[in-house]
Amino acid sequence: MYKVRTYNKISEKGLGLFDSERYNIGEGLESPDAFILRSQKLHDEAFPDSLLAIARAGAGVNNIPIPDCTEKGVVVFNTPGANANAVKELVVAGMLLASRDVYGGMNFVQSLTDMDDAGEMAKRLEAEKKRFAGGEIAGKTLGIVGLGAIGSMVANMGLELGMSVAGFDPALSVEAAWRLSSRVQKVDNLHALLKICDFVSLHIPANEHTRGLVDDEAFAAMKPGGCLINFAREEIVDPEALVKALDEGRLHRYVADFPRPELLGRPEAILMPHIGASTAEAEQNCAVMATRQLMDYLENGNITNSVNFPQTRMGRNGGWRITFANRNVPKVLGSVLSVLADRDINVIDMVNKSRGEIAYNIIDVESEPGPGALEAIAAAEGVIRLRVLPPKA
């Protein structure tokens, strides 16, 4: 029986997919095969030797020590796209709030507690409403930085709202390109995008290449009076450059899911408490995707949507299944195949994939590999983690 330790509150719609006859699910389980979590920080937690995989019910994995996991052969999954619609809808709300002073107008209405005459209130509102006038987003240009699962949905949504849409993504995948409307203008670099857009929405991860990406130079390149929307990661925007751009009036509005102390009280900053993916539907979608990916790995050795291992899938072809992770160096796979050949273990099918410094292999064999064969494979230079799965019932 597989044991899966849970952290945080995971949607029952996801956890309910685990077969109770094959899985033991719960908090604090000893010697778990896997973790499933949302925002639980694992950097200071000791991983048990039994741990094979971690499934993050969400896109960001800042709370997981990825290099340590890779070194131990622990596969880390996330759920890209599962919360995309929730974030897309909040981006729409952010653009509307930035275009028209809805929030200011609502606060003004709520401040009229000294008035008890509806007619007088109507006159007051009619006289004051021009203070909260704004513009429409139709006809404006929306720029998307990052055209993945969320960015492509935001881009297509912008078109549906009557906006012109431009996008910049140097790592645009074929899959993402298929999701994207042909009416989205492709721009070659960030500064070229910033120059032409009234709204710019960020949808990229935080890494060594993107931290502080929106800096003084980027703000200087922006179309004056533009609006920056950040529902991606706080670290992408340089905070000092942001405050300077707001102080100088170059940036009309900053809409973000990541409040900072220096932004509080500023009417140009529309800040939300990190609620981009906080919908019941998104939490369910993330939990279902995380659960399915985890089950497929534990039962079949297949890897989908891992942040540290290559995507590797192979249908079950009968027989026993050997999976192993190794350092991406020459001769490892050859050494393993030699072990099998020396013991007359026939290979039915196999797949080998690599990602950076790590490689992953799935090998289906006709007969059960004995302890001697498994010990020899585990001892092969470069092998990090070895598993054997019995034939599917």
Side-chain angles (χ1 to χ4, degrees):
M1 178 173 279
Y2 296 110
K3 293 196 286 186
V4 179
R5 182 188 296 175
T6 62
Y7 294 86
N8 314 119
K9 182 175 176 56
I10 306 297
S11 169
E12 287 299 325
K13 189 171 182 179
L15 296 183
L17 296 175
F18 287 113
D19 184 343
S20 60
E21 294 185 359
R22 291 183 295 158
Y23 289 88
N24 184 9
I25 313 297
E27 299 179 6
L29 291 179
E30 296 293 329
S31 302
D33 298 286
F35 295 165
I36 185 168
L37 53 86
R38 291 173 61 197
S39 58
Q40 175 72 28
K41 296 185 184 301
L42 298 180
H43 289 275
D44 297 325
E45 184 156 337
F47 291 167
D49 292 339
S50 61
L51 188 66
L52 299 170
I54 298 172
R56 160 76 161 100
V61 289
N62 302 36
N63 54 323
I64 302 172
I66 304 299
D68 291 345
C69 291
T70 305
E71 185 67 24
K72 294 178 172 65
V74 175
V75 182
V76 180
F77 299 94
N78 69 344
T79 57
N83 59 10
N85 189 70
V87 177
K88 179 203 75 174
E89 291 186 1
L90 204 57
V91 170
V92 177
M95 285 200 297
L96 294 173
L97 290 171
S99 299
R100 306 176 67 172
D101 193 7
V102 177
Y103 183 70
M106 292 171 64
N107 282 340
F108 169 70
V109 171
Q110 292 296 331
S111 73
L112 304 178
T113 53
D114 59 330
M115 303 189 73
D116 53 15
D117 185 296
E120 289 300 314
M121 179 178 286
K123 291 179 182 178
R124 178 81 179 274
L125 294 175
E126 188 65 25
E128 298 286 352
K129 69 179 185 180
K130 60 181 176 293
R131 291 167 46 192
F132 310 106
E136 300 179 11
I137 60 176
K140 303 298 193 301
T141 300
L142 169 63
I144 311 294
V145 182
L147 294 165
I150 298 175
S152 58
M153 289 184 72
V154 172
N156 291 339
M157 172 273 304
L159 293 171
E160 293 171 1
L161 292 172
M163 306 181 79
S164 298
V165 180
F168 166 64
D169 189 337
L172 182 63
S173 67
V174 173
E175 181 182 357
W178 276 109
R179 290 194 297 260
L180 202 60
S181 169
S182 61
R183 291 187 290 152
V184 175
Q185 176 189 351
K186 311 302 188 300
V187 180
D188 292 334
N189 62 76
L190 176 63
H191 287 190
L193 180 83
L194 297 174
K195 288 178 185 295
I196 63 173
C197 294
D198 303 290
F199 297 86
V200 176
S201 190
L202 305 175
H203 299 286
I204 51 178
N207 55 42
E208 64 272 20
H209 304 295
T210 63
R211 288 187 182 90
L213 179 69
V214 184
D215 55 12
D216 283 321
E217 291 186 6
F219 282 116
M222 283 192 76
K223 185 176 181 178
C227 171
L228 180 65
I229 302 172
N230 184 10
F231 287 96
R233 284 289 177 264
E234 177 184 359
E235 302 92 327
I236 297 169
V237 180
D238 182 292
E240 293 183 5
L242 170 63
V243 170
K244 182 180 177 183
L246 292 172
D247 286 343
E248 294 177 349
R250 172 164 289 278
L251 187 65
H252 177 62
R253 290 284 188 272
Y254 179 60
V255 184
D257 217 9
F258 316 102
R260 293 182 59 89
E262 63 267 33
L263 298 176
L264 301 182
R266 299 196 66 133
E268 317 98 316
I270 300 172
L271 306 171
M272 303 177 194
H274 204 184
I275 57 173
S278 295
T279 67
E281 294 87 348
E283 290 180 8
Q284 289 177 0
N285 292 341
C286 288
V288 167
M289 184 182 287
T291 298
R292 286 176 173 161
Q293 291 171 175
L294 199 54
M295 291 170 59
D296 195 20
Y297 177 68
L298 293 176
E299 297 177 21
N300 301 308
N302 292 326
I303 297 177
T304 304
N305 291 328
S306 171
V307 299
N308 63 335
F309 273 65
Q311 179 144 315
T312 315
R313 297 184 57 81
M314 189 170 77
R316 296 302 291 260
N317 299 294
W320 291 75
R321 172 159 287 190
I322 300 170
T323 73
F324 66 94
N326 62 275
R327 305 189 194 288
N328 190 18
V329 295
K331 300 182 180 180
V332 179
L333 179 58
S335 298
V336 172
L337 293 176
S338 294
V339 169
L340 299 176
D342 291 344
R343 289 162 175 78
D344 294 323
I345 300 174
N346 189 46
V347 173
I348 302 173
D349 202 357
M350 63 173 289
V351 61
N352 163 262
K353 298 288 185 179
S354 63
R355 177 176 181 172
E357 297 180 355
I358 198 80
Y360 183 71
N361 308 264
I362 301 175
I363 303 176
D364 284 351
V365 295
E366 285 185 346
S367 55
E368 181 179 4
L374 297 179
E375 289 173 4
I377 293 173
E381 186 174 356
V383 171
I384 299 172
R385 196 71 179 260
L386 171 68
R387 296 178 65 206
V388 179
L389 301 171
K392 291 285 281 187

